[in-house]
Every structure is written in structure tokens, then in C-alpha cells.
């Protein structure tokens, strides 16, 4: 079973190089505050700028919670990340879903950012895990994310 | 909101969740599901009907009996949820990036 990749685009009023730098280098500042996956709110979200670099959040106590890693680091046009959080928002080293970001200059100015999240079927590969998620973990996390997103609006 | 959809409502019932989890281990007939649970066959049938209506389970005939399994389309709920997640993350990014740009203007 496969699930079609998610594709999302957004346009920002800056150059690809700057959009790339902001997206990857200042994620902790633009990512909706309050409820990430760590036990406490994040003070930073770090993508180490190199292949195999870690992707993690850090809280005020310095505790780090992994999200994934860098699979390909190609500024200013592309970064390929491994999103390794399962549907319960828990880091799973055995789970790799690809999250690709591309940054392209638009003829009329600005940069189009395309996000593609693929291999989603891997999130549901274990039907037993899915059952557990649907039964227990999901509703609360969904509510959390809805709250988070609304706060950010 | 996705979390309020009928799939989650359907799974709010512990017995129904047990039925669902049984099918997560593999397709089964009503009788096979009932064997592992302290509920009657008619009760299992009723739970399966609700799960099917919620899009979590589907069934097909195998000879004289009806076999139930998890409906892969139920996993579409996961996709919808992630879609919202990324839409909002990108919105937040756009707001942030554009606000910096506005500062420069």
C-alpha cells in the first residue's frame, strides 16, 4: 500500500538563498511555538547544515529531542530531510519518511518553496501501531496541533 | 476537525477498539473476532458495522463467510492530518520570512 506524497507550496518575498537560510537556520523562530514534540517548549530547532546532520529541538534546559536528520544538503535550492517522527510524534530511528524542500526563484520575484513529504505509508506500515494511534495517541495530539496552529495564526 | 470525525468516535468504545485491534493483526471472520473477545457474535457484528461505516474496516465474501479487514483508506486520515500540519508550518514560515522582508523595506 502506498499513500500519495503530500505536496505544499508557499511563496515568500525573498531570494532562494535567504529563504533556504531562514527555513533551515531559523526554524526555531518561525516554527509555531508552544507544543513541539519535546517534553518542554522548544527554544530552538536545529538542522545541522551537512549531510547526516541531526534535526532536533532543544528546550530551555538544553534537553534535545530528535526529529530526524539531513539526507541531502544542497543550498540554496534543496534540502532533503528525514522526518523520523511517527504518528504518535515519537522519534523512531527505524522510521524514515522523506521531507524534501526546494527553493526556486520566481520570474516575478520572490521564491517558491515546495514541500514534499513522501513515504507516508511507512507511518502506517504497522497496522497494530496504527490501531494504537487511532485508539489512544491521536486525538490528543491532533488537538494539540490544532491549538498550536491556531495560536500561530 | 479530523479528530472529531467518525473514525475517532468509532474507536472511542473500548470493545470496538479491541475488535479493530484484532483486525490489525490480520483479516478475520465475525466468529474469529468473537473467539478472542468476551462478547457475543451479534455484538461483534454490530461493532464491525460501526467500524465499517467509519471507513476503518471493510469486508468481502470468502465462500460462505464474510471476512473483515482494516480498510487501508482509513490511513488517509493520517495524510489529511499531516497535510494540515505542513500547511500551517509553511504559513508560519511565510509570515516570518515576509515580516523580515517588510522590515527591510
Amino acid at each position: 500500500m502506498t499513500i500519495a506524497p503530500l505536496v505544499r507550496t508557499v511563496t515568500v518575498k525573498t531570494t532562494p538563498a535567504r529563504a533556504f537560510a531562514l527555513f533551515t537556520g531559523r526554524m526555531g523562530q518561525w516554527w509555531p511555538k508552544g507544543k513541539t514534540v519535546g517534553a518542554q517548549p522548544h527554544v530552538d530547532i536545529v538542522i545541522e547544515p551537512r549531510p547526516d546532520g541531526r534535526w532536533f529541538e532543544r528546550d530551555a534546559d538544553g534537553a534535545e529531542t530528535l526529529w530526524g536528520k539531513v539526507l541531502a544538503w544542497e543550498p540554496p535550492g534543496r534540502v532533503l530531510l528525514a522526518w523520523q517522527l511517527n504518528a504518535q510524534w515519537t522519534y523512531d530511528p527505524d522510521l524514515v519518511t522523506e521531507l524534501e524542500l526546494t527553493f526556486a526563484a520566481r520570474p516575478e520575484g520572490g521564491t517558491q518553496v515546495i514541500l514534499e513529504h513522501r513515504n507516508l505509508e511507512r507511518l502506517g506500515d504497522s497496522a497494530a501501531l496504527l490501531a494504537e494511534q487511532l485508539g489512544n495517541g491521536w486525538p490528543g495530539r491532533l488537538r494539540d496541533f490544532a491549538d498550536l496552529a491556531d495560536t500561530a495564526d | 476537525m479530523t479528530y472529531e470525525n467518525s473514525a475517532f468516535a468509532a474507536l472511542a468504545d473500548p470493545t470496538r477498539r479491541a475488535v479493530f485491534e484484532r483486525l490489525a493483526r490480520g483479516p478475520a471472520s465475525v466468529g474469529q473476532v468473537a473467539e478472542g473477545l468476551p462478547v457475543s457474535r451479534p455484538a461483534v457484528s454490530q461493532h464491525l458495522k460501526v467500524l465499517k461505516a467509519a471507513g476503518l474496516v471493510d469486508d468481502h465474501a470468502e465462500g460462505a463467510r464474510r471476512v473483515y479487514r482494516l480498510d487501508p483508506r482509513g490511513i488517509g486520515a493520517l495524510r489529511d492530518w499531516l497535510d494540515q500540519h505542513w500547511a500551517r508550518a509553511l504559513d508560519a514560515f511565510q509570515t516570518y520570512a515576509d515580516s523580515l522582508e517588510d522590515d527591510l523595506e
Side-chain angles (χ1 to χ4, degrees):
Chain A
M1 175 177 45
T2 59
I3 302 178
L6 283 175
V7 180
R8 283 264 162 200
T9 64
V10 70
T11 301
V12 291
K13 300 182 218 165
T14 188
T15 62
R18 179 144 169 87
F20 184 100
L22 291 177
F23 191 97
T24 58
R26 295 204 204 163
M27 188 171 275
Q29 290 177 45
W30 62 261
W31 192 272
K33 292 274 183 203
K35 293 177 184 172
T36 44
V37 296
Q40 296 190 64
H42 74 271
V43 293
D44 204 0
I45 302 171
V46 177
I47 300 176
E48 294 175 339
R50 59 173 184 273
D52 248 4
R54 295 175 310 144
W55 182 15
F56 60 94
E57 66 176 279
R58 186 188 292 125
D59 70 20
D61 294 336
E64 295 176 356
T65 304
L66 276 170
W67 290 19
K69 65 186 171 195
V70 176
L71 298 174
W73 184 259
E74 299 166 9
R78 175 179 182 256
V79 60
L80 183 64
L81 300 167
W83 170 269
Q84 296 181 274
L85 299 176
N86 64 26
Q88 290 174 304
W89 300 96
T90 303
Y91 175 76
D92 177 351
D94 296 327
L95 172 72
V96 174
T97 64
E98 290 184 357
L99 185 71
E100 181 178 50
L101 279 307
T102 55
F103 302 83
R106 287 163 55 94
E108 61 271 42
T111 297
Q112 183 175 51
V113 182
I114 303 175
L115 176 150
E116 181 170 326
H117 192 176
R118 47 188 181 247
N119 321 118
L120 300 181
E121 61 281 355
R122 294 177 189 165
L123 292 166
D125 261 353
S126 161
L129 179 65
L130 177 68
E132 193 185 322
Q133 289 151 10
L134 285 169
N136 304 318
W138 268 22
R141 297 311 295 164
L142 287 170
R143 217 165 286 128
D144 288 348
F145 269 87
D147 290 349
L148 172 158
D150 292 346
T151 310
D153 283 345
Chain B
M1 293 298 300
T2 313
Y3 62 82
E4 287 173 341
N5 72 11
S6 58
F8 293 120
L11 289 168
D13 180 277
T15 306
R16 211 171 290 137
R17 201 153 64 228
V19 170
F20 183 79
E21 284 165 3
R22 167 63 187 85
L23 293 181
R25 296 200 298 274
S29 65
V30 174
Q32 287 171 324
V33 174
E35 272 170 26
L37 296 172
V39 280
S40 67
R41 275 186 184 226
V44 167
S45 279
Q46 198 55 39
H47 287 309
L48 285 168
K49 197 177 288 181
V50 175
L51 290 170
K52 190 178 167 184
L56 291 168
V57 156
D58 65 8
D59 61 342
H60 64 279
E62 267 184 25
R65 60 178 202 162
R66 194 143 282 280
V67 173
Y68 291 81
R69 57 165 198 175
L70 295 195
D71 186 341
R73 291 168 299 181
I75 295 176
L78 172 64
R79 191 177 183 282
D80 293 345
W81 161 61
L82 268 174
D83 192 45
Q84 285 299 307
H85 163 65
W86 288 124
R88 280 160 172 167
L90 284 182
D91 279 354
F93 173 64
Q94 184 186 41
T95 302
Y96 177 74
D98 286 352
S99 73
L100 292 183
E101 217 51 32
D102 291 343
D103 288 348
L104 294 176
E105 283 168 3

